[in-house]
Amino acid sequence: MPELPEVENYKRYIDQTCLKQKIIEMDCRDDRLLKQPKSDFEDVLINEEFTQTERIGKYLFVKTTSEKVLVLHFGMTGRPHYYSCEDNRPKYAHIQLSFDNGYHFGFENKRKFGWWNLTDSVDIFKKENNLSDDARELNFEDFKTSLSSRSTDIKKIIMDQSVCAGVGNWMADDILYQARIHPEHKVEDMSDTELKAVFDAMKNVIEVAIDKEAHYADFPDYFLIHNRKDGGVCHHSGCDIEKIKVGGRTTYFSPEWQKKPH
DNA sequence: CGTTATGTTTCACT
DNA sequence: CAGTGAAACATAAC
């Protein structure tokens, strides 16, 4: 599930449940989810506390009372869960921290594309991993700068985490639908007006989705997400929504509403 | 059985 | 070195 709005939800959930409690145990059922040896995590987590969180795109940084920052990525099928006893541990909570109040923090990850890492600081991690500013904070000038010298489909570009941190597959489709831009439009062929339309649509998708707590059913009717499926119909033109592959990812768009560039 | 899934990383090639 | 595209990764659900 997690793109920017979902991870923002997770951040708020963790802020409300997991801060300022002593961590007494860490359990991991599959070390492939850990980008450092398990003992490194234990060294900086056991007997320490979460103090605050910070989100950039789909990456969630958890600051602690130790000198290290925990980095969480949820992959395609991740979510956090906070529960009171071991019996309530979700089936796919492959990693679990236990607090001294008897509660647990479970990192659910059905498909195991998510992971944990450690870093010295958010800024260092951001630079080392070539992450852009969070898409919610990004300004239009920086957006345009990172597009210059790029030459591929606009959809691939806005899903590039070094361009717009936080945009994923469903958001990219909705952004381009709302901006009325064909997903295969090449960035180098796009005018400033078109780029601004994409940028503005991105901001709108983010703010609405966060406001609705990423609950798709509550999104306005003009969001593609309601018709982002086989058999879907364009809210504006009434035509059938088409499904294609762009950059290897399934892409839904309206051939009438998002005209192909000539 | 084959296909698909809301993501990132790696690698070969330009 | 920088940018691109395709493949790889692991697993469940339809």
Side-chain angles (χ1 to χ4, degrees):
Chain A
M1 301 199 154
E3 295 183 27
L4 188 156
E6 289 92 345
V7 178
E8 178 64 22
N9 267 1
Y10 299 166
K11 169 179 161 48
R12 294 174 186 184
Y13 178 77
I14 289 170
D15 287 347
Q16 288 172 325
T17 55
C18 296
L19 302 186
K20 299 190 170 84
Q21 300 163 47
K22 191 172 170 187
I23 299 160
I24 57 172
E25 191 180 351
M26 173 174 175
D27 177 60
C28 180
R29 293 170 172 163
D30 190 336
D31 286 350
R32 288 175 299 184
L33 299 182
L34 304 178
K35 297 227 173 196
Q36 310 286 337
K38 190 189 174 208
S39 57
D40 288 5
F41 288 92
E42 289 175 327
D43 288 347
V44 299
L45 293 176
I46 303 299
N47 292 323
E48 306 289 346
E49 300 178 359
F50 290 172
T51 53
Q52 58 174 314
T53 63
E54 187 175 332
R55 184 190 56 71
I56 301 179
K58 308 166 196 173
Y59 296 75
L60 189 61
F61 301 88
V62 182
K63 298 177 183 176
T64 70
T65 44
S66 77
E67 74 283 3
K68 289 284 186 177
V69 177
L70 180 63
V71 189
L72 308 184
H73 196 288
F74 296 92
M76 282 175 105
T77 55
R79 54 156 292 175
H81 202 69
Y82 183 76
Y83 43 94
S84 62
C85 83
E86 186 72 36
D87 289 346
N88 295 328
R89 182 171 180 172
K91 184 175 177 187
Y92 300 111
H94 300 303
I95 308 177
Q96 174 182 270
L97 295 181
S98 302
F99 299 110
D100 66 352
N101 64 356
Y103 279 71
H104 308 277
F105 168 61
F107 183 79
E108 289 182 68
N109 223 259
K110 194 183 290 182
R111 224 172 126 191
K112 295 184 177 174
F113 276 180
W115 45 257
W116 284 23
N117 203 347
L118 296 168
T119 187
D120 290 317
S121 81
V122 174
D123 280 345
I124 290 170
F125 184 91
K126 188 180 175 209
K127 284 197 181 69
E128 282 179 350
N129 291 276
N130 203 17
L131 262 186
S132 81
D133 289 342
D134 184 75
R136 194 182 188 191
E137 315 293 336
L138 193 66
N139 67 60
F140 185 55
E141 289 310 309
D142 290 342
F143 173 71
K144 271 207 306 186
T145 302
S146 55
L147 291 181
S148 60
S149 80
R150 300 298 296 269
S151 67
T152 188
D153 305 330
I154 182 65
K155 172 164 176 176
K156 283 198 70 174
I157 293 295
I158 60 176
M159 286 181 68
D160 184 332
Q161 302 303 294
S162 70
V163 177
C164 303
V167 175
N169 204 24
W170 78 254
M171 284 181 71
D173 283 357
D174 230 307
I175 289 164
L176 296 173
Y177 179 68
Q178 293 183 27
R180 299 195 66 175
I181 300 291
H182 192 286
E184 292 175 304
H185 203 140
K186 302 287 185 244
V187 273
E188 69 267 35
D189 296 334
M190 291 176 64
S191 67
D192 261 28
T193 308
E194 289 171 320
L195 291 178
K196 187 65 163 54
V198 171
F199 182 82
D200 290 345
M202 175 172 80
K203 295 292 185 174
N204 183 63
V205 169
I206 291 169
E207 292 310 318
V208 170
I210 289 178
D211 181 57
K212 302 298 183 189
E213 299 180 317
H215 194 257
Y216 308 150
D218 293 341
F219 292 0
D221 289 344
Y222 64 82
F223 269 64
L224 175 65
I225 202 156
H226 304 298
N227 283 287
R228 193 180 176 279
K229 57 191 174 189
D230 294 343
V233 170
C234 176
H235 174 73
H236 303 285
S237 70
C239 71
D240 291 344
I241 296 299
E242 273 187 27
K243 180 166 76 170
I244 58 175
K245 289 275 185 192
V246 177
R249 305 299 300 277
T250 300
T251 298
Y252 292 88
F253 74 104
S254 165
E256 285 297 321
W257 189 243
Q258 297 157 272
K259 292 288 190 187
K260 206 161 196 162
H262 41 262

